[in-house]
């Protein structure tokens, strides 16, 4: 049974991650471009607002004024529709194992911690989510680094973009194996987001049970059932709260993953961005992030619950 349970959560997490990633790729590209430094966004910024930074590089204090729709339109005009799906390959390659690892570790850790602490308590949910986040981030960081590099590659329509393999080889040749783990410290800091997400989600799900919104397990995933909308709402609310609280780690992680970046560590990047671009720069790209993450999280959680529910009935 433990082996079957682990396999079930691996499969459920893989299906959930894949289902949530495909349709939200354009928003992720826009978010990553907004998070990046002025060097990555140079093709989209007027030279009149360039200033000399403390480290001798050009910075653009006007970057926060770039809107989501404006950047989206610029990408379409200068790079074409295909650029909105840059990094989709590594995303699809990485999202299934990432979510599978995450849900499998989360489920296994929760099962063991329930025997140590008060079962299904907030402490159990927090520790389980932390274990799952750290494990998943460590094992899949190279995939996400390649994805970020591809999404930041701004080229004209007539120019050929690098493939995932070419990007990975360039990282290895120029930075070695350590280059694939740039931004890992920010990913570890981002575990706080997953902890907050799962704690709020589990609490809301428990509240739904207490109010008997889960009338019958057979009706949970019926579109007309309040259970379906309850799970979707719980996932959306929990992810929104977590994203808003922990978002700065996303900007820091993108900066650390930039090619030839002057950003070296979590603390140094945090201080440099805040000093040169202002504290609000740490929330650049939050709007498309929320537009992507809310439906993405809802799809993932509901798909995961659906697969687990259907598998337990077999």
């Amino acid at each position: 049974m433990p082996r079957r349970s682990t396999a079930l959560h691996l499969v459920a997490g893989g299906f959930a991650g894949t289902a949530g990633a495909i349709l939200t790729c354009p928003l992720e590209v826009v978010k990553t471009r907004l998070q990046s430094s002025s060097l990555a966004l140079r093709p989209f910024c007027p030279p009149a607002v360039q200033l000399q930074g403390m480290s001798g590089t050009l910075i653009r204090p006007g970057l926060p004024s770039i809107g989501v729709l404006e950047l989206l339109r610029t990408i379409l005009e200068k790079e074409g529709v295909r650029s909105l799906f840059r990094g989709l390959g590594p995303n699809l390659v990485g999202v299934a194992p990432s979510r599978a690892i995450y849900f499998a570790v989360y489920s296994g850790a929760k099962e063991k911690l329930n025997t140590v602490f008060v079962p299904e308590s907030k402490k159990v949910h927090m520790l389980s989510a932390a274990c799952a986040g750290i494990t998943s981030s460590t094992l899949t960081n190279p995939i996400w680094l390649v994805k970020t590099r591809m999404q930041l590659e701004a080229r004209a329509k007539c120019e050929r973009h690098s493939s995932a393999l070419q990007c990975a080889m360039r990282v290895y040749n120029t930075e070695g194996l350590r280059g694939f783990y740039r931004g890992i410290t920010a990913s570890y800091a981002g575990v706080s987001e997953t902890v907050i997400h799962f704690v709020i989600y589990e609490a809301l799900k428990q509240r739904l049970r207490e109010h008997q919104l889960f009338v019958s397990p057979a009706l949970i995933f019926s579109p007309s059932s309040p259970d379906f909308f309850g799970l979707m709402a719980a996932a959306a609310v929990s992810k929104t709260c977590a994203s808003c609280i922990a978002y700065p780690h996303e900007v820091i992680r993108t900066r650390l993953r930039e090619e030839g970046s002057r950003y070296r560590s979590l603390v140094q990047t945090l201080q440099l961005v805040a000093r040169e671009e202002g504290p609000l720069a740490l929330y650049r790209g939050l709007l498309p992030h929320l537009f992507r993450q809310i439906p993405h999280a809802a799809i993932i959680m509901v798909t995961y619950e659906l697969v687990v529910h259907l598998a337990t009935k077999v």
Side-chain angles (χ1 to χ4, degrees):
M1 288 299 294
R3 289 183 180 179
R4 183 178 184 276
S5 177
T6 300
L8 170 60
H9 289 286
L10 280 167
V11 173
F15 271 110
T18 303
I22 295 176
L23 296 178
T24 59
C25 187
L27 283 173
E28 187 175 8
V29 172
V30 172
K31 178 204 72 172
T32 303
R33 295 285 181 94
L34 288 172
Q35 290 174 342
S36 67
S37 70
S38 57
L39 295 178
L41 284 169
R42 178 173 293 179
F44 310 112
C45 303
V49 297
Q50 295 181 5
L51 298 175
Q52 194 74 14
M54 297 180 64
S55 60
T57 58
L58 292 175
I59 61 174
R60 294 173 176 79
L63 278 177
S65 63
I66 299 177
V68 176
L69 294 179
E70 180 183 353
L71 179 56
L72 182 62
R73 184 176 63 252
T74 305
I75 293 176
L76 287 173
E77 290 176 354
K78 295 192 174 185
E79 302 179 50
V81 177
R82 293 184 63 182
S83 283
L84 292 176
F85 291 90
R86 294 287 297 157
L88 180 58
N91 208 356
L92 291 178
V93 170
V95 70
S98 174
R99 291 294 91 187
I101 293 168
Y102 188 95
F103 280 110
V105 174
Y106 179 81
S107 176
K110 188 168 70 169
E111 183 178 344
K112 294 184 182 299
L113 291 173
N114 277 335
T115 64
V116 179
F117 302 106
V118 178
E120 299 299 324
S121 63
K122 286 183 173 61
K123 184 180 292 187
V124 170
H125 296 152
M126 290 176 66
L127 292 175
S128 299
C131 291
I134 291 174
T135 303
S136 177
S137 296
T138 301
L139 295 178
T140 59
N141 195 77
I143 300 175
W144 305 135
L145 179 127
V146 171
K147 181 200 71 173
T148 300
R149 292 284 178 89
M150 292 180 68
Q151 290 177 340
L152 291 177
E153 188 179 34
R155 295 191 179 183
K157 294 180 181 181
C158 58
E159 295 181 314
R160 186 174 182 179
H161 292 279
S162 301
S163 65
L165 180 59
Q166 290 173 330
C167 184
M169 290 301 298
R170 187 164 61 247
V171 173
Y172 178 75
N173 291 331
T174 58
E175 304 173 52
L177 290 176
R178 292 185 60 183
F180 289 103
Y181 282 89
R182 291 182 61 173
I184 189 66
T185 53
S187 293
Y188 288 156
V191 170
S192 60
E193 179 179 338
T194 60
V195 171
I196 297 169
H197 174 206
F198 267 82
V199 169
I200 297 176
Y201 175 74
E202 294 283 3
L204 292 175
K205 194 166 71 170
Q206 182 63 32
R207 184 62 61 88
L208 290 175
R209 287 198 181 102
E210 291 174 358
H211 286 76
Q212 296 182 347
L213 288 180
F214 286 179
V215 179
S216 170
L219 298 177
I220 288 180
F221 298 102
S222 171
S224 60
S225 171
D227 302 339
F228 178 86
F229 295 105
L231 281 178
M232 292 283 284
V237 170
S238 59
K239 191 61 178 181
T240 300
C241 295
S243 295
C244 291
I245 294 171
Y247 184 75
H249 91 272
E250 292 264 354
V251 175
I252 295 173
R253 183 172 59 192
T254 296
R255 299 294 179 95
L256 287 171
R257 288 175 175 172
E258 289 179 0
E259 188 171 2
S261 177
R262 62 198 177 104
Y263 304 105
R264 298 185 299 274
S265 67
L266 176 68
V267 176
Q268 182 259 357
T269 302
L270 176 64
Q271 294 175 339
L272 192 60
V273 172
R275 182 172 65 247
E276 291 190 347
E277 304 173 47
L280 288 179
L282 293 171
Y283 286 89
R284 186 178 297 149
L286 178 59
L287 187 59
H289 179 70
L290 291 178
F291 284 160
R292 174 186 176 270
Q293 285 292 69
I294 293 175
H296 184 257
I299 292 170
I300 284 179
M301 298 308 296
V302 172
T303 304
Y304 171 74
E305 300 277 8
L306 173 60
V307 174
V308 171
H309 168 67
L310 293 177
T312 55
K313 291 297 182 181
V314 176

